[in-house]
């Protein structure tokens, strides 16, 4: 009786009330013929890419000389289909948002997918260098295999490089979906708009933020909790934020930034071969070969003296 | 032979030893007729709620005018069943823990589930405002779609608002299971007991902690690594912690707190329209329209001067 | 026509280019007869272990007196099979990496798996103490059930203890895969090499880093963002990092470290019953019963005075 009331009265009324908001509050729903990109498919895409980039480590196992070319060929085809579909949805959505008509969306999606796949062999070289750099730079690393299997930097930086590539090819939405998936998995937040050089390494990594217009040279290294951020957001004459302007710092080659340091501002340049110490808060440039450390705030010791 | 020894001797002995601890060390197991809430089902619950709240963005795709009412009706029914079951388990467990007898647990679960579902349309309005606030406040955001798809704040704040609602309806256990799922996904730890106003936004977010008795007004904004925490935990006459007391700060309307700032204490009130700078450590109240910044600890530059 | 070109021309060319890098850039792939450990299987392993350690809370539900011994026996067998296979792969890979021949890898894997399973009953005792310590130390905790279900510390510390056990039994690769899975889920990064005493608790936890050679006594407590880290990495005569040396601090019994504090260096010992305040940066030892707090950097208040 009660139960019948629910099923026939209350629940349908709730359904109607929710449906009503889909019309009245249309900003956060998408109901229409062309679906949006799918987060689940984007993650599947990433999984497939990791399988291709680090074969034997991620995904399908048991690759050997006899089956590897068959398996890779198969995965490249699968990737191509997934990519074109998701890129198409992203481009189409953007087109409509900007009020354009999609005349070339489909063909462009296919072209972009092929261009993206073509970039994978060169990317493998970058990634191999990165794994070696992590091993060389961390005394806790027991083997490069351990770095690939278990370092959050592997997930975060690989995903960043893939998302960067897609963004460079003009794909909307997808790059951020990929990079935020890596952010969720690792606590490392790298905006795909950042430009990052070779042999980049992040140790531990939780809390790292690398903003959209950051530039990082070769052989740089960050520790957990480092922010490369913006200082203030200029607005235009209408009071709207100005988007796309350089707001985040530049790190030249061979810069190391220790845990918890914060470097802010689009004009801030950290000269090459510099070391920025833990917890430093920096909003201005420093020349090459600088070492900047915090003058530790005095500690107060109670009920005890320092040990001799 | 060896293998037989394992299967017939060693493994059964291990099983017995583990089973023995289930009786002797009963604090961390639940063996009985009424099961506990299921974490997996709670997460399924959350997924369904995101589908209803942001249709077309999360979960099932291809919603259009012709099928949307059917799909939503179906999901509301599914949600109701899931909710009543999980709420029932949580209430029943709490009842037994407190030594009561469950006379109304089942009926109460159903009522709570309906009340909860009834709150969804109004929640959609809150969420739409929140998405817009994120877009307006972040120059890196390219569209509100990007905010919904890829901003950790969307996951963390939406989940918080759902968990808050359940907690307000008196449901034990489930709210924290939901909020910790979001904490795991985003690095943003919002206790469902906190009270948070409209158009709240958290940028990047990793490391944010918002304690149980925090109050936050409308139009507030936090950056990564901000703690709104407790200072000390008073104990009662028996040496037990006093629970439920106001221990966390209050932020009035239009307060912005930059990365890494820490604000502590139940008596600490940040007046409206205030800005708390990065890394500030604050344990006392500030009046409205304050701007509080850290007097940067002196930096030590070695082997280099500051750039002109 | 275009599509045919893709399928017959461009995609096969991309496949060939990728395959070519598998030979030329061999550092980050594993193509051979003995597969590497599987991350997915390692996670399955962890899920099974959580089911055995916290029965009724994680995984299969509906355990009661009538079925519990059957279910546990079944899971112990399943665990044994999974463990031996994954341990075998890890040991075999390490053997080959070091240029040895695997004469005892298989038998050793089985022995290690049994030894590991034998450690579970005693571990349950440790874990129950830990859950109680969390409840006793956090006024926001409503029940020990809430601690088990929803505290990131439960996931991070339980996984750490399992990974520590495997590492102690000489298993390569797997311990770090497990601990990084927990790091990903919780933002708490505990290296399995650390030694941690009983009733350890971490509140909130995002951003915590506990390095490989850290030692922590009984009844210690950390808050979010605490780093127990290394200061510098000595290199050997060939310029290679020295691995395995004590680089991280020691915390004696009953030490509490508040949010954001950083304690560095292998010679740094925090004496028992000490309290290290939030944001403290400490690179030297302190005697027992110390309380070390930061002398807060002066705050600058603009457009406002402090409240009376």
């Amino acid at each position: 009786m009660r139960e019948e009331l629910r099923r026939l009265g209350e629940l349908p009324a709730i359904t109607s009330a929710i449906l009503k908001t889909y019309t009245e509050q249309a900003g956060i729903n998408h109901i229409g013929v062309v679906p949006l990109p799918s987060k689940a498919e984007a993650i599947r895409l990433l999984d497939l890419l990791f399988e291709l980039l680090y074969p034997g480590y991620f995904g399908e196992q048991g690759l050997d000389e006899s089956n590897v070319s068959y398996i890779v060929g198969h995965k490249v085809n699968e990737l191509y289909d997934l990519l074109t579909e998701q890129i198409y949805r992203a481009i189409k959505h953007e087109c409509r948002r900007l009020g354009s008509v999609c005349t070339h969306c489909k063909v462009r999606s296919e072209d972009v997918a092929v261009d993206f796949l073509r970039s994978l062999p060169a990317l493998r070289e970058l990634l191999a260098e990165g794994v070696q750099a992590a091993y060389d730079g961390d005394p806790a690393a027991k083997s490069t295999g351990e770095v690939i299997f278990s370092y959050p930097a592997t997930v975060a930086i690989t995903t960043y490089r893939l998302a960067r590539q897609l963004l460079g090819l003009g794909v909307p939405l997808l790059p951020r979906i990929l990079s935020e998936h890596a952010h969720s998995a690792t606590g490392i937040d790298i905006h795909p708009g950042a430009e990052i050089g070779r042999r980049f390494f992040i140790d531990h990594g939780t809390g790292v933020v690398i903003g959209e217009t950051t530039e990082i040279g070769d052989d740089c290294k960050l520790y957990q909790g480092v922010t490369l951020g913006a200082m203030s957001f200029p607005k235009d004459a209408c009071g709207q934020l100005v988007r796309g302007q350089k707001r985040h710092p530049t790190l030249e080659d061979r810069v190391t930034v220790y845990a918890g340091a914060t470097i802010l501002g689009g004009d801030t340049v950290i000269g090459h071969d510099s070391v920025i110490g833990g917890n430093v808060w920096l909003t201005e440039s420093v020349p090459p070969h600088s070492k900047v450390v915090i003058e530790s705030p005095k500690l107060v010791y109670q009920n005890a003296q320092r040990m001799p």
Side-chain angles (χ1 to χ4, degrees), chain A:
Chain A
M1 191 60 190
R2 266 180 74 82
E3 192 57 22
E4 233 167 89
L5 182 68
R6 304 266 187 239
R7 301 287 170 189
L8 298 176
E10 289 170 324
L11 297 187
I14 289 168
T15 298
S16 299
I18 292 174
L19 284 168
K20 192 148 160 271
T21 71
Y22 288 0
T23 319
E24 290 171 7
Q25 191 52 262
I28 58 171
N29 44 251
H30 178 86
I31 292 160
V33 280
V34 178
L36 291 173
S38 154
K39 214 165 169 172
E41 293 290 282
I43 292 169
R44 167 82 187 125
L45 197 65
L46 211 48
D47 288 343
L48 274 172
L49 286 163
F50 270 76
E51 283 196 60
L52 277 185
L53 293 169
Y54 300 101
Y57 285 90
F58 294 102
E60 190 151 342
Q61 294 199 302
L63 295 182
D64 61 37
E65 301 298 335
S66 71
N67 61 22
V68 64
S69 64
Y70 169 74
I71 291 175
V72 170
H74 182 68
K75 285 196 193 305
V76 166
N77 280 346
E78 189 180 350
L79 252 178
Y80 172 75
D81 292 342
L82 254 171
L83 269 170
T84 45
E85 174 65 20
Q86 296 303 314
I87 292 171
Y88 173 65
R89 292 183 182 191
I91 288 177
K92 180 122 190 166
H93 177 65
E94 188 71 0
C95 240
R96 299 176 73 168
R97 197 175 70 83
L98 301 176
S100 311
V101 180
C102 264
T103 48
H104 303 295
C105 290
K106 187 75 191 150
V107 171
R108 216 185 113 212
S109 306
E110 293 167 7
D111 288 344
V112 166
V114 169
D115 283 348
F116 178 77
L117 291 172
R118 275 203 188 106
S119 74
L120 297 182
L123 178 57
R124 289 235 324 140
E125 208 178 311
L126 258 184
L127 297 177
E129 278 180 10
V131 165
Q132 189 63 44
Y135 176 74
D136 291 342
D138 178 12
K142 299 292 176 290
S143 63
T144 53
E146 190 179 289
V147 172
I148 300 171
F149 262 132
S150 57
Y151 273 48
T154 302
V155 172
I157 297 172
T158 304
T159 304
Y160 153 75
R161 297 207 187 276
L162 293 164
R164 178 88 200 86
Q165 190 69 19
L166 281 174
L167 188 72
L169 292 166
V171 179
L173 280 174
L174 273 184
R176 277 303 293 273
I177 293 178
L178 298 185
S179 66
E180 280 301 326
H181 180 65
H183 180 196
S184 173
T186 64
I188 299 170
D189 181 354
I190 311 179
H191 195 290
E195 305 263 14
I196 301 179
R198 307 182 79 98
R199 294 173 296 280
F200 180 54
F201 178 48
I202 303 173
D203 204 0
H204 308 296
T206 309
V208 164
V209 173
I210 300 176
E212 186 185 15
T213 62
T214 306
E215 292 168 68
I216 297 178
D218 294 337
D219 300 293
C220 289
K221 187 172 169 181
L222 308 183
Y223 284 80
Q224 70 271 19
V226 166
T227 292
L228 306 178
M231 255 199 309
S232 63
F233 306 146
K235 296 187 177 183
D236 64 19
C238 311
Q240 296 291 304
L241 289 180
V242 179
R243 294 169 200 268
Q245 194 170 314
K246 168 96 170 147
R247 306 181 306 280
H248 306 91
T250 297
L251 272 51
E252 295 181 351
D253 296 343
R254 295 174 299 284
V255 168
T256 297
V257 187
Y258 283 100
T262 302
I263 305 175
L264 303 179
D267 296 329
T268 304
V269 178
I270 308 301
H272 58 80
D273 298 285
S274 291
V275 174
I276 308 300
N279 283 12
V280 163
W281 178 274
L282 203 56
T283 57
E284 48 187 28
S285 298
V286 300
H289 295 282
S290 295
K291 186 175 171 188
V292 183
V293 296
I294 212 169
E295 192 181 75
S296 307
K298 238 198 299 186
L299 298 180
V300 183
Y301 295 78
Q302 293 169 351
N303 311 326
Q305 290 84 42
R306 295 195 189 195
M307 276 191 154

